[in-house]
Amino acid sequence: MGYRWQGYRKVRNQVCKRLKNRMNELDLEDYGLYRNYLTAHPDEWIVLDGMMRITISRFFRDAKSWEVLYDMILSDWGKETSIKKRPLRVWSAGCASGEEPYSFALLWEFRLSGHFPGIETDIVATDASEHMLKRARKACYPRASLRDVPSQMLSHAFKEQPDGMFCLQKKWQKPVKFKKQDIRRRMPGGAFDIVF
């Protein structure tokens, strides 16, 4: 657990905190003792699996990758799908609470759909956690999750609620279909143009 890849500090901290809390619950002092506990108690693997899921997300997270996607990739795929007269198919694997697939839907609608009239998007978003999918389907987020959303998108696509949450309006939710799936076991059917 000493790995410190650049850009993954929060992810690492989240996982380590969960593991340490679990080891405290079990009165285990180090990772070696926890490994022995896993061997002696096979059901603990299910608990460990749940602790490994990363839920840190926000709209347009990793801005540079969204810029590259827009500037260098999407116009070519838009042209290709336009010629073939088919939807642009996108899969967001491990979508957590939906920020990533909704970001793509917003990017397409606000910045590209006008260049490719009639081209629809088929956005499939999967996650192994029903709890996270429920949050994704609700599509309400704290302001911190929206800090990278351009102001025009924010004002047109979201409605602020009395509790301070911002809910994505139904029109913008429509292109995204959520499914409960664990990518280690299966994936949605068909070919995809883009996989997140």
Side-chain angles (χ1 to χ4, degrees):
M1 294 302 298
Y3 296 113
R4 296 178 189 272
W5 293 298
Q6 186 176 359
Y8 287 89
R9 180 180 53 82
K10 287 184 180 177
V11 170
R12 179 188 177 277
N13 289 346
Q14 188 181 70
V15 171
C16 288
K17 184 177 179 180
R18 289 176 187 166
L19 276 172
K20 287 184 182 187
N21 287 341
R22 181 62 178 158
M23 287 167 35
N24 285 339
E25 285 174 23
L26 299 171
D27 200 27
L28 301 171
E29 294 178 14
D30 60 41
Y31 294 120
L33 291 173
Y34 185 60
R35 176 69 178 114
N36 294 340
Y37 186 87
L38 284 164
T39 303
H41 302 89
D43 288 348
E44 181 67 17
W45 285 100
I46 296 167
V47 176
L48 178 62
D49 183 60
M51 291 188 293
M52 294 294 115
R53 296 195 180 119
I54 306 305
T55 58
I56 297 169
S57 191
R58 69 178 180 273
F59 281 81
F60 298 104
R61 183 174 164 219
D62 300 322
K64 186 68 176 165
S65 61
W66 289 99
E67 288 172 26
V68 169
L69 181 66
Y70 176 74
D71 293 337
M72 301 175 68
I73 298 169
L74 281 178
S75 62
D76 289 340
W77 275 328
K79 289 173 192 167
E80 183 181 322
T81 55
S82 183
I83 291 166
K84 294 181 179 178
K85 299 191 184 327
R86 65 171 180 83
L88 180 67
R89 296 206 68 220
V90 177
W91 176 28
S92 174
C95 69
S97 50
E99 289 94 330
E100 184 178 79
Y102 288 141
S103 291
F104 184 84
L106 290 169
L107 178 70
W108 181 264
E109 288 302 317
F110 276 88
R111 296 186 68 190
L112 285 157
S113 64
H115 300 292
F116 305 103
I119 297 297
E120 294 182 11
T121 54
D122 179 15
I123 305 169
V124 179
T126 60
D127 201 272
S129 167
E130 189 58 49
H131 171 73
M132 295 307 291
L133 290 171
K134 184 177 179 183
R135 287 176 54 190
R137 289 183 186 109
K138 186 175 179 186
C140 293
Y141 301 93
R143 183 175 284 280
S145 290
L146 304 166
R147 68 179 185 226
D148 296 323
V149 177
S151 58
Q152 182 192 13
M153 284 185 196
L154 185 61
S155 62
H156 282 84
F158 292 87
K159 186 171 183 181
E160 187 172 6
Q161 304 301 304
D163 64 359
M165 297 291 276
F166 289 78
C167 294
L168 185 62
Q169 296 182 51
K170 296 291 181 191
K171 171 185 177 181
W172 310 105
Q173 294 178 39
K174 193 175 178 184
V176 182
K177 296 166 194 79
F178 292 99
K179 296 182 178 183
K180 185 178 184 213
Q181 285 186 345
D182 186 333
I183 61 172
R184 296 168 300 179
R185 293 179 176 83
R186 59 188 283 228
M187 64 175 278
F192 292 94
D193 298 294
I194 303 167
V195 177
F196 289 99

